[in-house]
Amino acid sequence: MNSSFSVVGVLIAFGAGSAALLAAGRQDYPELHTILDTSIALVTGLLALLFWEMGAGIQQPLSKRLAIAFGATFVLEFLHVLVIVEWSGSLAFVMQLREFLRPATWPPAAHILAIGILAAIWSSRRQGGGTAPFALFMAVVAVLLVVIFQHLPPYRPPGLFEITRPVLILAPPLWAITCVLCWRLRTEDRIFGPLALMGAVVLLGHVSMLYSQAPHDTEAMVAHLGKIGGRLVLLLSVMQMASSDMLERLRAEAQLAHLNEELEVRVEERTAQLAASNHALESEILVRLHAEQKAQAQLARLSLLHQITRAIGERQDLNSIFQVVVRSLEDQLPVDFAALCFHDTVDHVLTVECVGLKSGALALELAMPERSRIAIDENGLSRCVLGQLVYEPEIAQSPFPFPMRLARGGLHAMVLAPLQVESRVFGVLVAVRKEKESFSSGECEFLRQLSEHVALAAHQAQLHGALQQAYEDLRQTQQAVMQQERLRALGQMASGIAHDINNALSPVSLYTQSLLEVEPNLSPRTREYLETIQRAVEDVAHTVTRMREFYRQREPQLTLMPVRLNELVQQVIDLTRARWSDMPQLRGTVISLRSELAERLPPVSGVESEIREALINLIFNAVDALPAGGTLTLRTRLLRGAGGNGRDQDQVRVEVGDDGVGMSEETRRRCLEPFFTTKGERGTGLGLAMVYGVARRHNADIDIDSAVGRGTVVVLSFPVPEAPSGAPLREAPEPARPARLRLLLVDDDPMLLRSLCNTLEAEGHVIVTANDGAAGIAAFCAAAERGETFAAVITDLGMPNVDGRKVASAIKGVSSTTPVIMLTGWGKRLTSEDDIPPHVDYVLSKPPKLRELRETLVRCCGPASA
């Protein structure tokens, strides 16, 4: 142990003084006795105050218990001083107590400090009881010692080993045990080293006291010097520790200032990156505007081409173009059978796209109706799809499948003309007659030229249709982008208040979860109420998250679960009963509810709380549309094969309707825009925008049918999963619970800090709390200096002055293996945007869920042993 020069000086002074007294022989020193006893009492009281201040400052039970031990010793030492002083005047009554107190105060004081130190070490290591029980214990011990030593003679004739004060025979062994125990524990807490050194000096003094024959003889003075010397050693060591702590604090403040400078540099770099990103975004917008201008120019050129080629370009529909061609061939050329086919280059087959009106009966006889498929043989069809005009004057003798099929219908002469654009054959024109060799060369040339015009017209029609679709897609994209930007602005605004709302919800959620888990004697009604509170808290937490997120498409990490809409609708009816039943009755109006729920409705994939909130918003809107009363209708039904986007997929529809005031067409068109409202100051314009966001995240369709005076019906159509699970829903298994852990909690919200501390302590953990980032760092560093460790650190993100990022960085700087868990109201945003701060191992969202918190503690600290 590194001792200061002052401590060494005290030890030298004790040795020199003791040697001088012993060398002078046995004498009486009454004045020195009074001075030393008074000094012992004063230094003991000072040490009691210092230890109490240390315990209150660092919340350490050991220091407070040591303070109580020194305080009890001070009381006995003070009583001893009272009876050795010659009092007169109004204090002369103290002299009457001398005969009672003088023999009963020095021996208890010699024993009680060692007993108190041993008891403080024992109780702190067992982590049992508080300071009040310990103080009561010390008081009882002091009274017992006074009573015991009152009845024991203070001096005896020299006996075994020439000992004259056998009543003090237990003091040296007690101090020897104290000295050895403190020396062995010196690595656990730095106070044990000075205690061991004090115990060694006091031990020597009490050995000398065994040979004292009078209260103030030479041996007694050596014992007094030992007691005052030991206490001075401890006092100087504590002062040296305080000085060392102050130096470490100054160093930490200097390091913190350096970290602040580095943070400012990083902020400037981040600002430059954002400026570059803004510039890139502006460039992308310019490119997009240029692409839109190019599409509009191409559409204008298509309109000019339509005017030039109006002979066949007046029709931009492929089916109508083909109908004109085949009917013209049947009527004007004429032919007995005419058809137009598309070429499938992948499957290498022809698909009959259009058959002439007069050729319909023959097409059925030949098994060539529209949409039928024809295999390409090795003769005429194979050459035609390569771009050649094929003329077969007699097909009855052909060995290939397609000519043989036509021949069975009494046809003989056949012309196949390719529909070719830019060296690509996309179809075949088929013209057949019953007479052999009935097509002249002029007619074949006519069919070749006609096929070119048909191909050009068909190609133009395809281009026109594609451009129309592209223009419509572009228009819809522009509307979606505008809607997205409005919702993004709303989400960014809402993100600012999400942290405060989640902080306020956290104590409610924690205490509710704790009551539901650990209170087995809850009545069914109480448990139902608590479960409703918990569900409402979760809904509010989802709401404040979606107020920023609902403008986005559903993200891959969104957890979708099977949702039974009939049960959910019934829940919503119960939750909103006050709004559609009680409140209208206060105004003298009646709203009747009609529910039509389809039986055997399959579950859909979704987030139950989001769908529940969307339905609540729709019911509130319907109630607002019934100021004079009316009927509110909730209906569910299953539609087979009603999926959109060309998919033959089942849908579950939920309808919320009313027969109220209805909406105009302009209002219906804009009602999904955020902040658009017709309710004046009563409305926020966020209800239907929230419903729209929920529908988008669930790949659901939303349809609004309304008219003024006719009421409104809002329909949500949810796709049924392709392969829904038939197994019953099972709750997830209870996760493994973590072992008893020592955790550090850092948060600037006192209510959250207290509720989280209470909940984790109820789980059996040892909790140390800090009400801001700086206090958390200081507590961790102080524990590290004492050799104490934390299994994990749980910290908030947004805190004044020192935020969660700095706390995590400081913790990892001291102990890189200590897990850091960030519990914040912005947890979902950090996770979804992959913006988890450095040095943070896990991120949890507020309000916290006990299940998630346990799972995280198990992952970072390991489960409880079986």
Side-chain angles (χ1 to χ4, degrees), residues 45-73:
L46 180 59
L47 285 170
L49 292 176
L50 285 176
F51 278 115
W52 185 263
E53 185 68 21
M54 289 173 58
I58 62 176
Q59 298 297 319
Q60 186 184 42
L62 175 63
S63 297
K64 289 187 176 181
R65 292 186 175 98
L66 290 175
I68 293 172
F70 275 93
T73 307

Side-chain angles (χ1 to χ4, degrees), residues 554-697:
R554 191 184 72 221
E555 298 178 347
Q557 68 268 24
L558 183 64
T559 303
L560 301 180
M561 301 293 292
V563 177
R564 301 189 182 279
L565 290 179
N566 280 350
E567 298 175 4
L568 190 60
V569 169
Q570 192 59 49
Q571 289 181 13
V572 171
I573 291 174
D574 295 336
L575 287 172
T576 59
R577 185 176 301 277
R579 185 69 179 272
W580 58 261
S581 178
D582 300 340
M583 294 176 64
Q585 291 180 11
L586 291 175
R587 300 192 302 267
T589 59
V590 176
I591 297 178
S592 60
L593 178 71
R594 183 173 64 190
S595 62
E596 301 175 4
L597 306 182
E599 297 182 357
R600 295 186 295 276
L601 205 63
V604 299
S605 296
V607 179
E608 181 176 328
S609 61
E610 292 192 8
I611 302 176
R612 182 190 304 117
E613 185 170 359
L615 294 178
I616 290 174
N617 277 328
L618 292 178
I619 291 178
F620 285 175
N621 284 346
V623 172
D624 291 338
L626 296 169
T631 302
L632 174 64
T633 303
L634 278 79
R635 181 183 296 113
T636 61
R637 54 178 173 159
L638 174 64
L639 296 183
R640 299 290 185 182
N645 301 325
R647 295 174 298 176
D648 188 14
Q649 186 177 11
D650 295 344
Q651 284 188 342
V652 175
R653 293 192 176 181
V654 182
E655 300 179 6
V656 180
D658 63 80
D659 54 1
V661 296
M663 293 185 289
S664 65
E665 180 60 26
E666 174 65 16
T667 301
R668 190 195 67 80
R669 186 176 61 83
R670 298 189 58 194
C671 64
L672 296 180
E673 296 181 7
F675 306 113
F676 176 78
T677 179
T678 59
K679 302 176 184 178
E681 295 182 356
R682 295 186 301 109
T684 62
L686 300 180
L688 284 178
M690 179 74 74
V691 175
Y692 172 74
V694 171
R696 293 195 62 188
R697 284 193 296 276

Side-chain angles (χ1 to χ4, degrees), residues 51 75 92 145 328 377 382 401 464 506 607 630 676 681 706 726 775 793 842:
F51 278 115
V75 172
L145 289 176
S328 298
D377 56 33
S382 61
H464 180 74
S506 295
V607 179
F676 176 78
E681 295 182 356
S706 181
V793 177
Y842 301 95

Side-chain angles (χ1 to χ4, degrees), residues 366-399:
L366 298 175
M368 291 178 56
E370 293 181 0
R371 302 292 182 268
S372 62
R373 296 163 69 88
I374 302 172
I376 298 176
D377 56 33
E378 297 299 327
N379 190 14
L381 287 179
S382 61
R383 288 184 288 121
C384 184
V385 297
L386 293 177
Q388 301 178 17
L389 180 72
V390 176
Y391 171 48
E392 294 286 348
E394 175 54 62
I395 60 176
Q397 304 301 323
S398 177

Side-chain angles (χ1 to χ4, degrees), residues 517 731-737 763 850-851 854-855:
E517 287 191 6
E731 295 184 355
E734 180 69 19
R737 289 178 179 257
E763 297 269 323
L850 285 179
R851 185 187 188 93
R854 290 170 184 150
E855 291 176 350

Side-chain angles (χ1 to χ4, degrees), residues 404-607:
M404 292 174 62
R405 178 187 297 185
L406 296 176
R408 286 195 296 270
L411 302 174
H412 292 276
M414 175 184 70
V415 176
L416 303 176
L419 303 179
Q420 182 174 356
V421 176
E422 297 179 354
S423 303
R424 183 180 67 87
V425 176
F426 68 88
V428 173
L429 171 62
V430 180
V432 189
R433 286 175 176 167
K434 294 182 178 181
E435 295 80 8
K436 301 177 182 179
E437 301 179 356
S438 55
F439 288 97
S440 63
S441 59
E443 289 175 331
C444 291
E445 180 62 21
F446 169 77
L447 290 174
R448 185 186 66 79
Q449 293 179 358
L450 178 62
S451 67
E452 292 178 357
H453 286 281
V454 172
L456 180 60
H459 184 59
Q460 289 175 344
Q462 289 175 340
L463 286 178
H464 180 74
L467 286 173
Q468 289 286 5
Q469 184 62 40
Y471 181 76
E472 179 64 21
D473 291 344
L474 182 60
R475 185 183 64 81
Q476 292 180 358
T477 301
Q478 289 173 338
Q479 292 180 351
V481 169
M482 293 173 62
Q483 182 83 343
Q484 195 88 343
E485 289 303 319
R486 294 191 188 101
L487 298 176
R488 187 186 305 277
L490 174 62
Q492 292 173 351
M493 179 187 68
S495 179
I497 64 173
H499 180 266
D500 294 337
I501 294 178
N502 284 329
N503 270 355
L505 291 176
S506 295
V508 180
S509 178
L510 284 172
Y511 285 135
T512 303
Q513 293 177 71
S514 180
L515 287 173
L516 287 172
E517 287 191 6
V518 305
E519 295 293 339
N521 298 323
L522 293 175
S523 66
R525 185 174 185 181
T526 303
R527 182 168 295 276
E528 180 184 355
Y529 286 175
L530 289 174
E531 289 174 349
T532 302
I533 292 172
Q534 182 62 25
R535 186 162 56 243
V537 168
E538 292 175 355
D539 287 352
V540 173
H542 283 299
T543 298
V544 297
T545 299
R546 290 195 304 278
M547 287 179 70
R548 188 190 65 84
E549 299 286 345
F550 72 96
Y551 63 88
R552 301 184 176 194
Q553 295 284 351
R554 191 184 72 221
E555 298 178 347
Q557 68 268 24
L558 183 64
T559 303
L560 301 180
M561 301 293 292
V563 177
R564 301 189 182 279
L565 290 179
N566 280 350
E567 298 175 4
L568 190 60
V569 169
Q570 192 59 49
Q571 289 181 13
V572 171
I573 291 174
D574 295 336
L575 287 172
T576 59
R577 185 176 301 277
R579 185 69 179 272
W580 58 261
S581 178
D582 300 340
M583 294 176 64
Q585 291 180 11
L586 291 175
R587 300 192 302 267
T589 59
V590 176
I591 297 178
S592 60
L593 178 71
R594 183 173 64 190
S595 62
E596 301 175 4
L597 306 182
E599 297 182 357
R600 295 186 295 276
L601 205 63
V604 299
S605 296
V607 179

Side-chain angles (χ1 to χ4, degrees), residues 117-179:
I117 294 174
L118 293 174
I121 295 173
W122 180 81
S123 61
S124 296
R125 292 179 67 84
R126 289 179 59 87
Q127 298 182 354
T131 55
F134 186 81
L136 179 61
F137 166 76
M138 292 302 299
V140 171
V141 171
V143 172
L144 289 176
L145 289 176
V146 170
V147 172
I148 291 172
F149 285 106
Q150 177 66 30
H151 296 84
L152 295 177
Y155 299 97
R156 285 183 178 273
L160 182 65
F161 301 113
E162 300 298 324
I163 293 176
T164 59
R165 298 204 67 178
V167 294
L168 298 177
I169 195 67
L170 293 178
L174 277 175
W175 280 105
I177 294 172
T178 303
C179 181

